[in-house]
Amino acid sequence: MLKEKIERVLQRVQKPARYTGGEFGSIVKDKAEVDVRFAFCFPDTYEIGMSHLGMKILYHLTNEMEGVWCERVFAPAPDMQAEMEREEIPLFALESRDPIGEFDFIGFTLQYELCYTNLLNMLRLGGIPLKAADRKGLAPIVVAGGPCTCNPEPLADFIDIFIIGEGEEVNPELIRLYADAKKKGLSRAEFLRAAARIEGLYVPSLYDVTYGEDGTISSFLPRDGAPARIKKRIIKDFDKVYYPEQFIVPYIETVHDRAMLEVMRGCIRGCRFCQAGFLYRPLREKTAGTLAASAHAICEATGYDEISLTSLSTGDYSGLDPLVRQILPWTKEEKINLSLPSLRIDNFPQELLDQITSVRKSGLTFAPEAGTQRMRDVINKNITEEEILSTCRMAFDGGYSSVKLYFMMGLPFEMDEDIIGINTLAKKVVEEFFREKRKGKGLSVSCSVSSFVPKPFTPFQFDPSATREELARKQQLLLDTVASRKVHLSWHDPNTSMLEAVFARGDRRLGAVLEAAFRKGCRFDAWDEHFRIDLWEDAFAECGVSTAFYAHRARSYDEILPWDHIDIGVSKEFFIREHQRAAEGKTTPNCRQSCAGCGANKLKGGPCF
């Protein structure tokens, strides 16, 4: 009956392939042979979720476990949700089309703070109590992983277990523990206490938080044997980590519609604004031989005509040249485009440019991040204007005529001169193009200027974010000082940046605000066409919570931060030192040049470089 209803509504919605399942590479199992069912939920649309590499890896890894079936669940678009509510169809998994309420685990990946209302909406559509305290019986267990779990506190009321760090080893451990608990008939409370003893798992219901008169946290205390600090899990031998040779091939175009090859995890750079650069430390690489074999297997299995070498900074991968030399012959022969995102301006060799453009040219993207050298030193970007211009020159000589530059505004210690410097630098890039007679199309220089949001586990976690009024003023200054018609500017909505700042560094008291905003109708907050700042402002007012307290307040070095009980391997003392160096405009060398003593290599049991 349910499956018939689903078939009926699919005829009335846009992009029904978002909800059909059955794609090449998807996995269907016999329910009679399954002991544990895992609903892997991505709190955004199918096109975004199916572009996420982590979901691809963990989906296949989990399905290789005997007696375990992992299925995919995505947030329904508004038209599909309306049809589901009209026909009383609960949220369902793609592979079986069974309601998620029938699963043992409901697991969310948290990539962005503005997906939190979608998470609550998906629980509600599945008939799952929103609050963890209201769920009875062993199943379902609601878990969450991904980068946002580095500060899990805003979602503490709703999630049973947070998975801190990388999931390839800890996820199977959690599933096996649950299977054993199910056989033994353990209660929910007994299982959660046992789960808290696994390294990398955080059970928020086992911790009590108190607050001082000034609103800051005064204590954070574990109960029932839970650890005082939760250490993130990492894969120590990355060359031997599980990686699927078969990806699901969607029926419709996705955001990143290509094969992806993860060359390394971590980053050596230490850009002071970049949360991912610290969360994924220490640096671990795969060998060129391992990657070359994976690349060929994935392309053969999926038929993709583009393969992307992914990491936080692919140009820093030490085996990049031998890897490109190994895979280029067959990619050229089979007309497969080789894409290298996350390249740095200061390590982009001409030979590599020649190699990757011998198949097919596409636009190049670079991230100077700031318009002046002073500001690039503050954020520890460690690139010079000459390096930026020489790299653009190299790209133009190679036939490129489209360059996208990423910048930020609202950074700590920023002045108006730094904003104007964005346009000055963009104009110099334009002048570099016209310094020679170039063949082909006219030049296009796109400058995307995002609003800086201070994030946990960065040196700038102590700084306030710029107010909406200040960001609007700086955006107008940027527009007023544009110096070339070849330069195209874009920027972020200050309202979404404010909300992101609130939830990035928030605590448990935000749970009430989140639920209130959700019940008022907030969904897809990362989408401009769905974002409702008026509803969010009503929710904050209703709950008596100040956005300025979370977004626009500086933190002292000795304040207990909502994420201080999470151990990502990088010490708070290191972040304090780096923040002080930023205030002095001093740079810190990258990890291969000199160890800055962040402490992350203790996680893999070895010294620094």
Side-chain angles (χ1 to χ4, degrees):
M1 181 68 175
L2 175 60
K3 292 179 175 60
E4 293 174 1
K5 284 185 177 182
I6 294 171
E7 289 293 337
R8 218 167 32 241
V9 303
L10 288 180
Q11 300 174 44
R12 304 199 293 264
V13 299
Q14 293 182 349
K15 298 186 179 181
R18 288 169 165 168
Y19 315 103
T20 57
E23 310 99 315
F24 178 75
S26 62
I27 296 169
V28 175
K29 295 189 177 184
D30 182 349
K31 281 191 283 188
E33 298 178 0
V34 171
D35 301 314
V36 179
R37 301 187 69 185
F38 196 111
F40 198 131
C41 301
F42 197 98
D44 212 314
T45 62
Y46 176 94
E47 294 95 314
I48 295 174
M50 284 301 295
S51 300
H52 182 240
L53 181 58
M55 188 174 202
K56 298 172 191 287
I57 294 171
L58 293 175
Y59 173 85
H60 289 282
L61 171 67
T62 306
N63 276 315
E64 289 194 12
M65 296 179 67
E66 188 175 346
V68 181
W69 188 10
C70 179
E71 302 183 51
R72 296 162 297 143
V73 186
F74 300 96
D79 63 332
M80 181 62 173
Q81 178 172 332
E83 294 292 343
M84 289 169 63
E85 290 175 333
R86 184 179 297 115
E87 295 282 350
E88 297 183 338
I89 298 172
L91 186 64
F92 57 90
L94 296 195
E95 281 75 6
S96 65
R97 295 192 179 177
D98 288 340
I100 64 170
E102 297 179 6
F103 285 67
D104 297 286
F105 283 98
I106 300 173
F108 290 91
T109 178
L110 305 176
Q111 299 296 311
Y112 186 35
E113 292 84 359
L114 298 191
C115 74
Y116 291 173
T117 53
N118 277 7
L119 182 152
L120 297 191
N121 191 44
M122 292 172 77
L123 290 176
R124 183 188 68 84
L125 290 173
I128 312 299
L130 296 186
K131 297 280 187 67
D134 295 333
R135 300 177 199 130
K136 310 302 178 185
L138 183 58
I141 299 293
V142 179
V143 301
C148 287
T149 62
C150 72
N151 178 21
E153 293 308 289
L155 288 173
D157 290 345
F158 312 105
I159 304 296
D160 295 307
I161 302 172
F162 289 96
I163 299 166
I164 310 297
E166 297 164 0
E168 287 98 335
E169 291 177 351
V170 69
N171 285 22
E173 290 175 21
L174 175 61
I175 291 169
R176 286 192 289 267
L177 180 73
Y178 176 87
D180 186 58
K182 194 174 181 182
K183 288 178 184 175
K184 293 178 178 176
L186 297 186
S187 68
R188 187 182 195 86
E190 289 171 324
F191 169 72
L192 291 176
R193 285 197 295 270
R197 291 193 284 271
I198 294 179
E199 186 175 282
L201 297 184
Y202 170 48
V203 180
S205 61
L206 299 182
Y207 295 79
D208 296 320
V209 188
T210 59
Y211 304 91
E213 291 183 3
D214 62 354
T216 64
I217 295 172
S218 58
S219 68
F220 200 100
L221 300 174
R223 290 184 285 103
D224 299 334
R229 298 194 77 205
I230 298 89
K231 185 189 293 186
K232 79 172 181 185
R233 291 291 290 268
I234 70 161
I235 303 301
K236 294 179 181 178
D237 189 348
F238 194 56
D239 197 48
K240 296 180 180 177
V241 69
Y242 172 86
Y243 202 78
E245 293 188 351
Q246 170 68 66
F247 288 165
I248 298 173
V249 182
Y251 287 135
I252 58 176
E253 185 176 354
T254 58
V255 174
H256 299 302
D257 205 16
R258 53 182 176 255
M260 288 186 278
L261 194 65
E262 188 181 21
V263 300
M264 65 182 190
R265 283 186 193 163
C267 185
I268 64 172
R269 293 292 168 174
C271 298
R272 291 171 180 141
F273 59 86
C274 180
Q275 185 185 59
F278 297 107
L279 286 186
Y280 294 102
R281 287 190 178 195
L283 182 76
R284 291 145 293 147
E285 298 182 330
K286 292 184 181 180
T287 63
T290 297
L291 291 167
S294 289
H296 203 233
I298 293 168
C299 287
E300 282 197 329
T302 61
Y304 278 115
D305 64 355
E306 181 175 356
I307 185 162
S308 173
L309 307 184
T310 65
S311 75
L312 293 176
S313 182
T314 301
D316 287 322
Y317 170 55
S318 62
L320 187 57
D321 186 64
L323 174 60
V324 170
R325 291 181 189 279
Q326 286 185 58
I327 65 178
L328 202 62
W330 59 264
T331 55
K332 287 178 67 174
E333 182 181 336
E334 299 174 27
K335 293 183 170 52
I336 294 173
N337 190 39
L338 182 59
S339 171
L340 281 79
S342 304
L343 289 174
R344 277 182 60 94
I345 286 170
D346 59 339
N347 60 5
F348 195 81
Q350 177 69 56
E351 184 181 5
L352 183 59
L353 181 71
D354 293 340
Q355 289 176 346
I356 64 174
T357 58
S358 62
V359 180
R360 188 163 74 228
K361 286 186 175 66
S362 54
L364 281 178
T365 300
F366 298 116
E369 307 293 3
T372 64
Q373 193 59 50
R374 184 195 73 85
M375 202 65 227
R376 287 192 290 273
D377 291 345
V378 166
I379 65 178
N380 205 46
K381 188 65 183 178
N382 277 321
I383 55 172
T384 66
E385 183 175 288
E386 176 51 37
E387 286 171 330
I388 296 168
L389 296 178
S390 64
T391 303
C392 290
R393 186 184 314 126
M394 191 190 311
F396 297 149
D397 289 342
Y400 286 90
S401 59
S402 174
V403 175
K404 188 166 189 177
L405 302 175
Y406 282 105
F407 296 94
M408 286 183 291
M409 65 168 54
L411 286 157
F413 315 111
E414 183 179 79
M415 297 186 290
D416 282 359
E417 290 82 356
D418 303 305
I419 300 298
I420 297 170
I422 293 173
N423 280 323
T424 304
L425 181 59
K427 182 185 178 185
K428 289 180 179 179
V429 171
V430 172
E431 291 170 347
E432 192 62 54
F433 181 85
F434 290 107
R435 205 179 296 278
E436 304 280 344
K437 288 187 176 181
R438 311 282 183 185
K439 295 179 181 179
K441 313 181 284 187
L443 172 69
S444 172
V445 176
S446 299
C447 293
S448 176
V449 187
S450 64
S451 302
F452 166 74
V453 174
K455 292 293 180 88
F457 297 109
T458 68
F460 292 155
Q461 66 183 359
F462 308 104
D463 291 290
S465 63
T467 64
R468 287 177 279 181
E469 293 76 18
E470 181 63 6
L471 288 173
R473 186 189 71 80
K474 291 185 176 186
Q475 288 171 353
Q476 187 61 49
L477 176 63
L478 188 71
L479 193 61
D480 290 343
T481 57
V482 66
S484 171
R485 287 181 296 177
K486 298 291 185 181
V487 174
H488 308 281
L489 296 171
S490 62
W491 50 74
H492 287 180
D493 180 355
N495 288 312
T496 58
S497 299
M498 180 276 294
L499 190 63
E500 183 183 346
V502 167
F503 279 94
R505 297 192 299 171
D507 55 42
R508 294 189 178 195
R509 292 169 292 187
L510 289 177
V513 180
L514 177 61
E515 185 173 355
F518 157 70
R519 295 197 186 281
K520 291 177 184 296
C522 291
R523 310 280 190 278
F524 289 101
D525 296 301
W527 296 56
D528 290 344
E529 61 265 41
H530 299 300
F531 181 62
R532 292 283 305 274
I533 187 60
D534 57 326
L535 299 182
W536 274 105
E537 289 175 336
D538 288 347
F540 280 106
E542 185 179 292
C543 297
V545 173
S546 164
T547 57
F549 178 82
Y550 292 105
H552 309 310
R553 178 178 65 87
R555 273 61 164 169
S556 66
Y557 291 152
D558 59 356
E559 179 177 332
I560 298 175
L561 302 174
W563 53 92
D564 275 350
H565 59 294
I566 305 295
D567 180 7
I568 69 158
V570 181
S571 69
K572 190 173 183 178
E573 291 72 24
F574 169 79
F575 291 129
I576 292 171
R577 291 198 306 272
E578 282 295 288
H579 186 260
Q580 292 168 339
R581 291 180 68 83
E584 297 169 0
K586 293 181 179 178
T587 61
T588 298
N590 73 61
C591 297
R592 286 193 175 127
Q593 293 175 319
S594 175
C595 176
C598 76
N601 265 302
K602 70 183 181 186
L603 295 175
K604 63 177 184 178
C608 289
F609 286 99

